[in-house]
PDB file of all heavy atoms in Angstrom:
ATOM      1  N   THR A 534      -6.943   5.666   2.989  1.00 93.00           N
ATOM      2  CA  THR A 534      -6.324   4.444   3.056  1.00 93.00           C
ATOM      3  C   THR A 534      -6.538   3.673   1.771  1.00 93.00           C
ATOM      4  O   THR A 534      -5.663   2.903   1.204  1.00 93.00           O
ATOM      5  CB  THR A 534      -7.048   3.628   4.187  1.00 93.00           C
ATOM      6  OG1 THR A 534      -6.838   4.369   5.389  1.00 93.00           O
ATOM      7  CG2 THR A 534      -6.405   2.241   4.381  1.00 93.00           C
ATOM      8  N   SER A 535      -7.820   3.541   1.322  1.00 92.00           N
ATOM      9  CA  SER A 535      -8.094   2.686   0.093  1.00 92.00           C
ATOM     10  C   SER A 535      -7.306   3.158  -1.162  1.00 92.00           C
ATOM     11  O   SER A 535      -6.726   2.302  -1.869  1.00 92.00           O
ATOM     12  CB  SER A 535      -9.565   2.659  -0.158  1.00 92.00           C
ATOM     13  OG  SER A 535     -10.013   4.017  -0.494  1.00 92.00           O
ATOM     14  N   THR A 536      -7.251   4.477  -1.428  1.00 94.00           N
ATOM     15  CA  THR A 536      -6.492   4.889  -2.688  1.00 94.00           C
ATOM     16  C   THR A 536      -5.044   4.807  -2.413  1.00 94.00           C
ATOM     17  O   THR A 536      -4.386   4.555  -3.357  1.00 94.00           O
ATOM     18  CB  THR A 536      -6.927   6.316  -2.965  1.00 94.00           C
ATOM     19  OG1 THR A 536      -6.821   7.153  -1.730  1.00 94.00           O
ATOM     20  CG2 THR A 536      -8.410   6.505  -3.269  1.00 94.00           C
ATOM     21  N   LEU A 537      -4.536   4.838  -1.159  1.00 96.00           N
ATOM     22  CA  LEU A 537      -3.092   4.731  -1.098  1.00 96.00           C
ATOM     23  C   LEU A 537      -2.717   3.141  -1.361  1.00 96.00           C
ATOM     24  O   LEU A 537      -1.755   2.800  -1.917  1.00 96.00           O
ATOM     25  CB  LEU A 537      -2.716   5.035   0.397  1.00 96.00           C
ATOM     26  CG  LEU A 537      -1.269   4.807   0.821  1.00 96.00           C
ATOM     27  CD1 LEU A 537      -0.300   5.655  -0.107  1.00 96.00           C
ATOM     28  CD2 LEU A 537      -0.975   4.980   2.252  1.00 96.00           C
ATOM     29  N   GLN A 538      -3.611   2.294  -0.870  1.00 94.00           N
ATOM     30  CA  GLN A 538      -3.358   0.905  -1.104  1.00 94.00           C
ATOM     31  C   GLN A 538      -3.320   0.510  -2.497  1.00 94.00           C
ATOM     32  O   GLN A 538      -2.679  -0.187  -3.087  1.00 94.00           O
ATOM     33  CB  GLN A 538      -4.370  -0.038  -0.252  1.00 94.00           C
ATOM     34  CG  GLN A 538      -4.048  -0.025   1.222  1.00 94.00           C
ATOM     35  CD  GLN A 538      -5.227  -0.714   2.031  1.00 94.00           C
ATOM     36  OE1 GLN A 538      -6.222  -1.148   1.435  1.00 94.00           O
ATOM     37  NE2 GLN A 538      -5.004  -0.884   3.310  1.00 94.00           N
ATOM     38  N   GLN A 539      -4.462   1.203  -3.349  1.00 94.00           N
ATOM     39  CA  GLN A 539      -4.486   0.802  -4.746  1.00 94.00           C
ATOM     40  C   GLN A 539      -3.364   1.444  -5.589  1.00 94.00           C
ATOM     41  O   GLN A 539      -2.780   0.730  -6.378  1.00 94.00           O
ATOM     42  CB  GLN A 539      -5.909   1.563  -5.222  1.00 94.00           C
ATOM     43  CG  GLN A 539      -7.057   0.835  -4.619  1.00 94.00           C
ATOM     44  CD  GLN A 539      -8.231   1.677  -4.818  1.00 94.00           C
ATOM     45  OE1 GLN A 539      -8.504   2.296  -5.811  1.00 94.00           O
ATOM     46  NE2 GLN A 539      -9.147   1.743  -3.868  1.00 94.00           N
ATOM     47  N   THR A 540      -2.981   2.549  -5.179  1.00 94.00           N
ATOM     48  CA  THR A 540      -1.834   3.245  -5.956  1.00 94.00           C
ATOM     49  C   THR A 540      -0.589   2.525  -5.591  1.00 94.00           C
ATOM     50  O   THR A 540       0.330   2.397  -6.372  1.00 94.00           O
ATOM     51  CB  THR A 540      -1.898   4.725  -5.570  1.00 94.00           C
ATOM     52  OG1 THR A 540      -3.065   5.373  -5.865  1.00 94.00           O
ATOM     53  CG2 THR A 540      -0.781   5.504  -6.424  1.00 94.00           C
ATOM     54  N   ALA A 541      -0.252   2.238  -4.349  1.00 95.00           N
ATOM     55  CA  ALA A 541       1.012   1.548  -3.870  1.00 95.00           C
ATOM     56  C   ALA A 541       0.955   0.168  -4.665  1.00 95.00           C
ATOM     57  O   ALA A 541       2.044  -0.319  -4.965  1.00 95.00           O
ATOM     58  CB  ALA A 541       1.094   1.413  -2.463  1.00 95.00           C
ATOM     59  N   SER A 542      -0.191  -0.479  -4.941  1.00 93.00           N
ATOM     60  CA  SER A 542      -0.134  -1.782  -5.527  1.00 93.00           C
ATOM     61  C   SER A 542       0.127  -1.656  -6.843  1.00 93.00           C
ATOM     62  O   SER A 542       1.009  -2.359  -7.422  1.00 93.00           O
ATOM     63  CB  SER A 542      -1.573  -2.409  -5.374  1.00 93.00           C
ATOM     64  OG  SER A 542      -1.718  -3.495  -6.088  1.00 93.00           O
ATOM     65  N   SER A 543      -0.416  -0.688  -7.695  1.00 90.00           N
ATOM     66  CA  SER A 543      -0.150  -0.495  -9.039  1.00 90.00           C
ATOM     67  C   SER A 543       1.114   0.156  -9.415  1.00 90.00           C
ATOM     68  O   SER A 543       1.562  -0.284 -10.483  1.00 90.00           O
ATOM     69  CB  SER A 543      -1.359   0.353  -9.670  1.00 90.00           C
ATOM     70  OG  SER A 543      -1.400   1.625  -9.002  1.00 90.00           O
ATOM     71  N   LYS A 544       1.565   1.068  -8.561  1.00 92.00           N
ATOM     72  CA  LYS A 544       2.802   1.749  -8.945  1.00 92.00           C
ATOM     73  C   LYS A 544       4.084   1.245  -8.335  1.00 92.00           C
ATOM     74  O   LYS A 544       5.125   1.113  -8.785  1.00 92.00           O
ATOM     75  CB  LYS A 544       2.739   3.180  -8.617  1.00 92.00           C
ATOM     76  CG  LYS A 544       1.788   4.053  -9.513  1.00 92.00           C
ATOM     77  CD  LYS A 544       2.045   5.477  -9.215  1.00 92.00           C
ATOM     78  CE  LYS A 544       1.190   6.265 -10.171  1.00 92.00           C
ATOM     79  NZ  LYS A 544       1.492   7.664 -10.284  1.00 92.00           N
ATOM     80  N   LEU A 545       4.027   0.688  -7.113  1.00 94.00           N
ATOM     81  CA  LEU A 545       5.003   0.096  -6.395  1.00 94.00           C
ATOM     82  C   LEU A 545       5.131  -1.521  -6.279  1.00 94.00           C
ATOM     83  O   LEU A 545       6.145  -2.119  -5.815  1.00 94.00           O
ATOM     84  CB  LEU A 545       5.187   0.802  -4.977  1.00 94.00           C
ATOM     85  CG  LEU A 545       5.121   2.240  -4.854  1.00 94.00           C
ATOM     86  CD1 LEU A 545       5.189   2.661  -3.357  1.00 94.00           C
ATOM     87  CD2 LEU A 545       6.380   2.796  -5.589  1.00 94.00           C
ATOM     88  N   GLY A 546       3.927  -2.035  -6.569  1.00 92.00           N
ATOM     89  CA  GLY A 546       3.924  -3.462  -6.376  1.00 92.00           C
ATOM     90  C   GLY A 546       3.673  -4.004  -4.939  1.00 92.00           C
ATOM     91  O   GLY A 546       3.993  -5.112  -4.770  1.00 92.00           O
ATOM     92  N   PHE A 547       3.270  -3.096  -4.136  1.00 93.00           N
ATOM     93  CA  PHE A 547       3.109  -3.406  -2.589  1.00 93.00           C
ATOM     94  C   PHE A 547       1.790  -4.102  -2.443  1.00 93.00           C
ATOM     95  O   PHE A 547       0.800  -3.690  -3.015  1.00 93.00           O
ATOM     96  CB  PHE A 547       3.092  -2.105  -1.756  1.00 93.00           C
ATOM     97  CG  PHE A 547       4.444  -1.543  -1.567  1.00 93.00           C
ATOM     98  CD1 PHE A 547       5.560  -2.020  -2.275  1.00 93.00           C
ATOM     99  CD2 PHE A 547       4.697  -0.468  -0.650  1.00 93.00           C
ATOM    100  CE1 PHE A 547       6.868  -1.384  -2.121  1.00 93.00           C
ATOM    101  CE2 PHE A 547       5.983  -0.018  -0.493  1.00 93.00           C
ATOM    102  CZ  PHE A 547       7.031  -0.422  -1.201  1.00 93.00           C
ATOM    103  N   THR A 548       1.743  -5.115  -1.654  1.00 91.00           N
ATOM    104  CA  THR A 548       0.456  -5.674  -1.198  1.00 91.00           C
ATOM    105  C   THR A 548      -0.226  -4.580  -0.279  1.00 91.00           C
ATOM    106  O   THR A 548       0.519  -3.934   0.343  1.00 91.00           O
ATOM    107  CB  THR A 548       0.643  -6.986  -0.450  1.00 91.00           C
ATOM    108  OG1 THR A 548       1.388  -6.815   0.753  1.00 91.00           O
ATOM    109  CG2 THR A 548       1.446  -7.965  -1.326  1.00 91.00           C
ATOM    110  N   PRO A 549      -1.473  -4.720   0.026  1.00 92.00           N
ATOM    111  CA  PRO A 549      -2.140  -3.806   0.935  1.00 92.00           C
ATOM    112  C   PRO A 549      -1.516  -3.902   2.329  1.00 92.00           C
ATOM    113  O   PRO A 549      -1.355  -2.961   2.994  1.00 92.00           O
ATOM    114  CB  PRO A 549      -3.649  -4.330   0.869  1.00 92.00           C
ATOM    115  CG  PRO A 549      -3.799  -4.817  -0.457  1.00 92.00           C
ATOM    116  CD  PRO A 549      -2.593  -5.481  -0.816  1.00 92.00           C
ATOM    117  N   LYS A 550      -1.257  -5.212   2.732  1.00 91.00           N
ATOM    118  CA  LYS A 550      -0.653  -5.388   4.102  1.00 91.00           C
ATOM    119  C   LYS A 550       0.698  -4.806   4.190  1.00 91.00           C
ATOM    120  O   LYS A 550       1.062  -4.019   5.099  1.00 91.00           O
ATOM    121  CB  LYS A 550      -0.466  -7.012   4.182  1.00 91.00           C
ATOM    122  CG  LYS A 550      -0.053  -7.354   5.552  1.00 91.00           C
ATOM    123  CD  LYS A 550       0.123  -8.839   5.775  1.00 91.00           C
ATOM    124  CE  LYS A 550       0.676  -9.204   7.163  1.00 91.00           C
ATOM    125  NZ  LYS A 550       0.803 -10.673   7.384  1.00 91.00           N
ATOM    126  N   LYS A 551       1.531  -4.921   3.200  1.00 94.00           N
ATOM    127  CA  LYS A 551       2.802  -4.204   3.208  1.00 94.00           C
ATOM    128  C   LYS A 551       2.744  -2.727   3.145  1.00 94.00           C
ATOM    129  O   LYS A 551       3.456  -2.018   3.950  1.00 94.00           O
ATOM    130  CB  LYS A 551       3.700  -4.702   1.951  1.00 94.00           C
ATOM    131  CG  LYS A 551       4.935  -4.073   1.893  1.00 94.00           C
ATOM    132  CD  LYS A 551       5.847  -4.469   0.762  1.00 94.00           C
ATOM    133  CE  LYS A 551       7.229  -3.919   0.693  1.00 94.00           C
ATOM    134  NZ  LYS A 551       8.128  -4.438  -0.320  1.00 94.00           N
ATOM    135  N   THR A 552       1.837  -2.148   2.483  1.00 95.00           N
ATOM    136  CA  THR A 552       1.605  -0.826   2.398  1.00 95.00           C
ATOM    137  C   THR A 552       1.177  -0.245   3.828  1.00 95.00           C
ATOM    138  O   THR A 552       1.784   0.819   4.198  1.00 95.00           O
ATOM    139  CB  THR A 552       0.382  -0.408   1.405  1.00 95.00           C
ATOM    140  OG1 THR A 552       0.795  -0.796   0.130  1.00 95.00           O
ATOM    141  CG2 THR A 552       0.152   1.065   1.409  1.00 95.00           C
ATOM    142  N   MET A 553       0.366  -0.954   4.496  1.00 94.00           N
ATOM    143  CA  MET A 553       0.004  -0.477   5.883  1.00 94.00           C
ATOM    144  C   MET A 553       1.153  -0.698   6.895  1.00 94.00           C
ATOM    145  O   MET A 553       1.252   0.153   7.764  1.00 94.00           O
ATOM    146  CB  MET A 553      -1.248  -1.294   6.329  1.00 94.00           C
ATOM    147  CG  MET A 553      -2.487  -1.089   5.522  1.00 94.00           C
ATOM    148  SD  MET A 553      -2.786   0.726   5.096  1.00 94.00           S
ATOM    149  CE  MET A 553      -3.346   1.180   6.757  1.00 94.00           C
ATOM    150  N   MET A 554       1.944  -1.628   6.688  1.00 94.00           N
ATOM    151  CA  MET A 554       3.114  -1.806   7.564  1.00 94.00           C
ATOM    152  C   MET A 554       4.050  -0.655   7.419  1.00 94.00           C
ATOM    153  O   MET A 554       4.546   0.034   8.373  1.00 94.00           O
ATOM    154  CB  MET A 554       3.674  -3.167   7.296  1.00 94.00           C
ATOM    155  CG  MET A 554       2.989  -4.343   7.817  1.00 94.00           C
ATOM    156  SD  MET A 554       3.850  -5.937   7.373  1.00 94.00           S
ATOM    157  CE  MET A 554       5.427  -5.851   8.264  1.00 94.00           C
ATOM    158  N   VAL A 555       4.313  -0.342   6.213  1.00 96.00           N
ATOM    159  CA  VAL A 555       5.333   0.729   5.953  1.00 96.00           C
ATOM    160  C   VAL A 555       4.712   2.093   6.347  1.00 96.00           C
ATOM    161  O   VAL A 555       5.445   2.963   6.970  1.00 96.00           O
ATOM    162  CB  VAL A 555       5.729   0.721   4.484  1.00 96.00           C
ATOM    163  CG1 VAL A 555       6.592   2.016   4.098  1.00 96.00           C
ATOM    164  CG2 VAL A 555       6.349  -0.554   3.959  1.00 96.00           C
ATOM    165  N   ALA A 556       3.362   2.321   6.032  1.00 96.00           N
ATOM    166  CA  ALA A 556       2.822   3.647   6.497  1.00 96.00           C
ATOM    167  C   ALA A 556       2.795   3.725   7.917  1.00 96.00           C
ATOM    168  O   ALA A 556       2.956   4.727   8.476  1.00 96.00           O
ATOM    169  CB  ALA A 556       1.426   3.678   5.937  1.00 96.00           C
ATOM    170  N   GLN A 557       2.529   2.707   8.673  1.00 94.00           N
ATOM    171  CA  GLN A 557       2.606   2.578  10.178  1.00 94.00           C
ATOM    172  C   GLN A 557       3.927   3.112  10.713  1.00 94.00           C
ATOM    173  O   GLN A 557       3.954   3.942  11.591  1.00 94.00           O
ATOM    174  CB  GLN A 557       2.255   1.291  10.674  1.00 94.00           C
ATOM    175  CG  GLN A 557       2.247   1.086  12.197  1.00 94.00           C
ATOM    176  CD  GLN A 557       0.700   0.846  12.688  1.00 94.00           C
ATOM    177  OE1 GLN A 557      -0.103   0.496  11.889  1.00 94.00           O
ATOM    178  NE2 GLN A 557       0.525   1.110  14.078  1.00 94.00           N
TER     179      GLN A 557
END
């Protein structure tokens, strides 16, 4: 979870909240 949120933030510009919504 943590590394997905970090990588999605740096590479895709996703907030952690958005990352988890899309992953869900």
Side-chain angles (χ1 to χ4, degrees):
T534 304
S535 58
T536 52
L537 178 64
Q538 291 176 348
Q539 292 164 41
T540 307
S542 175
S543 59
K544 290 196 172 184
L545 305 179
F547 286 8
T548 63
K550 183 178 180 181
K551 180 176 180 178
T552 297
M553 297 311 290
M554 288 175 62
V555 176
Q557 182 113 13

